Amino acid sequence: LRAVAVELAVDDADLEVVVRDDGEGFDVDLARLVAAGHFGMVGMLERGTRIGAEVRWSRAVPRGTEVRARAPLRQAPREEAT
């Protein structure tokens, strides 16, 4: 790993964060499994879900990894339990 790039973009409705690196990458399907106390991808998905975000991973070209998260700037009002 020699470089990491972070991009932030915002529009009227959403914030998007993209993180790319030039590392060796990983098997996205295998990494979704929780292994021996490592909760990285699962934790990102849970946190993203809490704020209404979409979180995606992919291998970057020509090598490395890209993580992309897009979240609404405003959350919809929660319904109160009765």
Side-chain angles (χ1 to χ4, degrees):
L1 178 68
R2 292 184 305 233
V4 175
V6 178
E7 297 175 16
L8 297 172
V10 65
D11 61 28
D12 290 339
D14 299 309
L15 169 69
E16 184 173 52
V17 179
V18 180
V19 180
R20 287 186 200 91
D21 70 32
D22 64 351
E24 294 181 24
F26 60 95
D27 183 326
V28 173
D29 292 326
L30 184 60
R32 288 182 193 273
L33 303 174
V34 176
H38 297 276
F39 300 98
M41 291 179 75
V42 171
M44 282 190 262
L45 284 172
E46 287 178 354
R47 288 178 181 94
T49 298
R50 287 182 189 166
I51 63 169
E54 175 185 345
V55 181
R56 296 178 292 162
W57 294 267
S58 62
R59 291 188 174 155
V61 177
R63 53 183 261 173
T65 302
E66 178 180 280
V67 178
R68 183 177 295 264
R70 186 169 189 88
L73 292 175
R74 301 188 195 285
Q75 291 186 348
R78 292 184 182 189
E79 292 184 25
E80 292 186 29
T82 55

